[in-house]
Amino acid sequence: MSDVYNPPDTPLEVIHADHEILVVDKPSGLLSVPGKGEHLSDCLLSRVQDAFPEALLVHRLDRDTSGVMIFALTPSAQRHLGLQFEKRQTKKTYVARVWGRLEPAKGTVDLPLIVDWPNRPLQMVDHENGKPAHTDWRVMRFEDVNGAETTRVRLMPKTGRSHQLRVHMKALGHAILGDPFYAEGPARDFPRLMLHSESLRLRHPDGGVGVTFKASVPF
């Protein structure tokens, strides 16, 4: 993450709104919640609350990740959704572009994660003290970027650890393109983090019916 915070000046993109929930497409480069300091006050939560004052936070996406993010519009909906995330009953799907040729065509990363304290907010793999973290992946296609091979991959996290997808892809030797924390050399030299929350499936707080919300991939 760079020291300069220049959040995108884009209108709020609402995917769905009803009496209990609000689903938006978060732009890359915008904090989910305010950071420490007045210069980090602009965030998706504040923008959402400008339009929907009753909106309540349920979960977060990294600043540089784009895509589907849900807010509750009542305290009961916030509790209902919060429990679904806590109990890992939601189904999240991301699309990423990673450096190199990711093989085989699908697999699972099972590597426990912990904060890298001297270098926080970075996270790292720690088999002794880390918290369980699981990510399924499925290759979509191989791509060419200026003569270098990259892979477009769909990621399905089973847990929700901080920076989980970014650290897991790096651990496989295929850092996510444009990642200012974990990518190096030409893999880092992209205009944004190539990670997008493509879809979120959960139970609606009013009635418990399964619903899926999607946001098209912008890269």
Side-chain angles (χ1 to χ4, degrees):
M1 187 182 294
S2 64
D3 292 331
V4 179
Y5 181 44
N6 291 314
D9 185 17
T10 53
L12 189 65
E13 194 165 333
V14 175
I15 297 170
H16 172 87
D18 59 38
H19 62 294
E20 293 272 19
I21 61 174
L22 171 71
V23 186
V24 301
D25 186 354
K26 175 191 168 301
S28 175
L30 180 65
L31 290 166
S32 291
V33 297
K36 292 180 180 177
E38 184 62 32
H39 65 298
L40 298 177
S41 61
D42 186 11
C43 63
L44 185 60
L45 178 60
S46 63
R47 293 186 184 187
V48 162
Q49 289 176 336
D50 283 345
F52 299 85
E54 69 276 28
L56 299 165
L57 188 72
V58 173
H59 68 125
R60 307 178 187 194
L61 292 176
D62 289 348
R63 184 192 79 172
D64 296 324
T65 304
S66 57
V68 178
M69 196 165 154
I70 189 167
F71 294 85
L73 296 180
T74 66
S76 63
Q78 185 186 38
R79 286 191 297 272
H80 193 286
L81 295 169
L83 280 171
Q84 290 186 59
F85 277 91
E86 186 182 319
K87 295 179 178 180
R88 301 174 190 168
Q89 295 169 341
T90 62
K91 184 177 181 182
K92 296 173 276 190
T93 304
Y94 292 75
V95 171
R97 293 174 62 201
V98 302
W99 187 254
R101 187 180 181 92
L102 176 59
E103 293 180 319
K106 62 181 179 179
T108 299
V109 187
D110 180 3
L111 292 171
L113 302 177
I114 195 171
V115 65
D116 182 0
W117 280 106
N119 301 300
R120 61 183 186 274
L122 272 66
Q123 310 289 313
M124 64 181 185
V125 174
D126 186 330
H127 291 281
E128 291 185 5
N129 304 304
K131 294 181 178 179
H134 304 262
T135 304
D136 292 338
W137 91 80
R138 188 168 66 247
V139 170
M140 298 169 69
R141 63 177 179 271
F142 301 115
E143 299 173 328
D144 183 284
V145 178
N146 299 326
E149 193 162 36
T150 62
T151 305
R152 186 174 291 261
V153 59
R154 193 163 267 127
L155 304 172
M156 290 76 70
K158 301 303 181 192
T159 50
R161 307 296 175 205
S162 181
H163 292 186
Q164 175 176 321
L165 302 179
R166 300 161 75 163
V167 178
H168 276 176
M169 289 298 100
K170 184 191 178 187
L172 289 180
H174 300 277
I176 296 177
L177 303 180
D179 191 331
F181 284 161
Y182 304 102
E184 298 172 351
R188 189 172 179 167
D189 191 23
F190 284 79
R192 60 157 289 180
L193 173 71
M194 298 293 176
L195 179 62
H196 177 77
S197 172
E198 181 187 37
S199 73
L200 174 63
R201 180 166 181 80
L202 43 74
R203 297 192 320 278
H204 196 287
D206 185 0
V209 175
V211 286
T212 302
F213 302 105
K214 295 185 177 182
S216 58
V217 182
F219 52 76

